[in-house]
Amino acid sequence: GAVVSQHPSRVICKSGTSVKIECRSLDFQATTMFWYRQFPKKSLMLMATSNEGSKATYEQGVEKDKFLINHASLTLSTLTVTSAHPEDSSFYICSARVTGTSGRRSYNEQFFGPGTRLTVL
Amino acid sequence: GENVEQHPSTLSVQEGDSAVIKCTYSDSASNYFPWYKQELGKRPQLIIDIRSNVGEKKDQRIAVTLNKTAKHFSLHITETQPEDSAVYFCAALSGGYQKVTFGIGTKLQVIP
């Protein structure tokens, strides 16, 4: 399957600082990437949909000025947590959507990055 | 928007027994239903999926069934093994952006 990388894998920062997380599709181009947040023992919550060359679409309740998303190229999307606070501590996962057809079969799959564990002190 | 409910939240089975996880969805426009397995501290991995034009799909010990009329789909794991222990998420794709809505997850424990 397609490979999605995420960097960094872990980050610890002080309250008030900003943290940037990168999501890259390594062997394919992704016009759409998704950013999720996962609390311990909880499901993945979609934060926003990142579309290459346009503004991200944020889910209800997600502050777009707090979580800045930039999808500058077909292989890179970044999430910046601005002025981080302890309640922003979480596991952040990106995914990249791959669509296409193979013969008669059409596919629409998401491949997940390994995640970034953010701890805000 | 789409709402996906999943149950049970935890499931313990003896090795060799079968496990069944059930999900329901609300948006009749949803047409793609993947299942993900997430091991502790790792990323979700797609294990099987089904599209709305199919009622059942099987891959070795894993099978998924879909009932469009009732808007529910299920994951079946037969002959469970300890390495099947993980959290399983069902999901549904809907909407113009094809965003994925996940169920709350089921923690499966296979007891040796």
Side-chain angles (χ1 to χ4, degrees), chain A residues 70-86:
Chain A
N70 184 12
H71 196 150
S73 75
L74 288 172
T75 60
L76 173 65
S77 175
T78 60
L79 168 68
T80 301
V81 183
T82 62
S83 188
H85 291 282

Side-chain angles (χ1 to χ4, degrees), chain A residues 83-95:
Chain A
S83 188
H85 291 282
E87 56 265 31
D88 298 325
S89 298
S90 189
F91 192 53
Y92 292 87
I93 304 178
C94 70
S95 71

Side-chain angles (χ1 to χ4, degrees), chain A residues 4 34 36 38 42-44 46 49 51 57 59 91 93 97 105-110 112-114, chain B residues 32 36 38 41-46 49 51 57 89 93 96-100 102-105 107:
Chain A
V4 177
F34 301 90
Y36 296 88
Q38 187 175 34
K42 297 292 184 183
S43 188
L44 294 100
L46 179 64
T49 302
N51 296 295
T57 303
E59 295 301 300
F91 192 53
I93 304 178
R97 184 160 74 98
R105 179 179 171 268
S106 63
Y107 55 88
N108 181 348
E109 297 182 24
Q110 285 197 25
F112 287 86
Chain B
Y32 175 62
Y36 294 87
Q38 187 177 28
K42 296 186 178 181
R43 76 187 83 184
Q45 300 273 14
L46 178 69
D49 56 15
R51 299 185 186 277
K57 184 177 178 181
F89 293 98
L93 258 70
Y97 286 109
Q98 288 287 285
K99 65 181 183 182
V100 181
F102 287 87
I104 199 168
K107 184 176 181 180

